Amino acid sequence: IGDAYILVDRQSSTFMPTKENKRSHVFTGDEIEFMEYVLAGVRRGKEYAGNLVVVSDKRGKVIQYSASNPWLLENLENLKQIPVGRFMDKTCTRIHPTSPKSTWY
């Protein structure tokens, strides 16, 4: 919430689509909690904004993807450079978030 996005998770795994696994794959991992709060009248915190799933072959060529926001795939190479937990903008460039406006005198 605010003017930045946060990369909250990244997973990578290898699988072979077979009859036994119904040509599908399931990611597992820790649950992610999104919290928000109001500080000095400004809403802050984390709010779900989208996801990107990319399937590539062993050469690294993208063979399928699912993106909730087109800009995630468009900036895939930049996104790969962002560490988990860091802030970014819509070009997947690492940024620092703005702080709430000062109302304390």
Side-chain angles (χ1 to χ4, degrees), residues 18-30:
T18 63
K19 272 187 182 180
E20 290 78 23
N21 63 19
K22 298 180 183 174
R23 302 197 190 295
S24 65
H25 181 65
V26 177
F27 287 100
T28 59
D30 296 331

Side-chain angles (χ1 to χ4, degrees), residues 55-89:
V55 177
S56 56
D57 61 14
K58 61 172 103 174
R59 298 170 296 168
K61 182 179 177 188
V62 175
I63 56 175
Q64 189 62 271
Y65 71 90
S66 173
S68 59
N69 301 310
W71 56 268
L72 288 168
L73 184 66
E74 292 166 5
N75 299 293
L76 180 60
E77 292 308 312
N78 288 352
L79 187 60
K80 289 178 182 180
Q81 304 304 314
I82 303 287
V84 172
R86 299 299 189 252
F87 292 87
M88 64 183 179
D89 61 13

Side-chain angles (χ1 to χ4, degrees), residues 4-44:
Y5 298 91
I6 303 170
L7 180 61
V8 295
D9 191 26
R10 175 183 287 123
Q11 295 185 30
S12 177
S13 59
T14 303
F15 78 103
M16 181 69 78
T18 63
K19 272 187 182 180
E20 290 78 23
N21 63 19
K22 298 180 183 174
R23 302 197 190 295
S24 65
H25 181 65
V26 177
F27 287 100
T28 59
D30 296 331
E31 290 185 9
I32 299 170
E33 182 177 14
F34 294 99
M35 294 176 46
E36 65 179 76
Y37 55 94
V38 176
L39 178 64
V42 178
R43 211 170 113 208
R44 304 298 279 185

Side-chain angles (χ1 to χ4, degrees), residues 41-53:
V42 178
R43 211 170 113 208
R44 304 298 279 185
K46 296 178 184 176
E47 176 181 53
Y48 174 80
N51 66 69
L52 172 65
V53 176

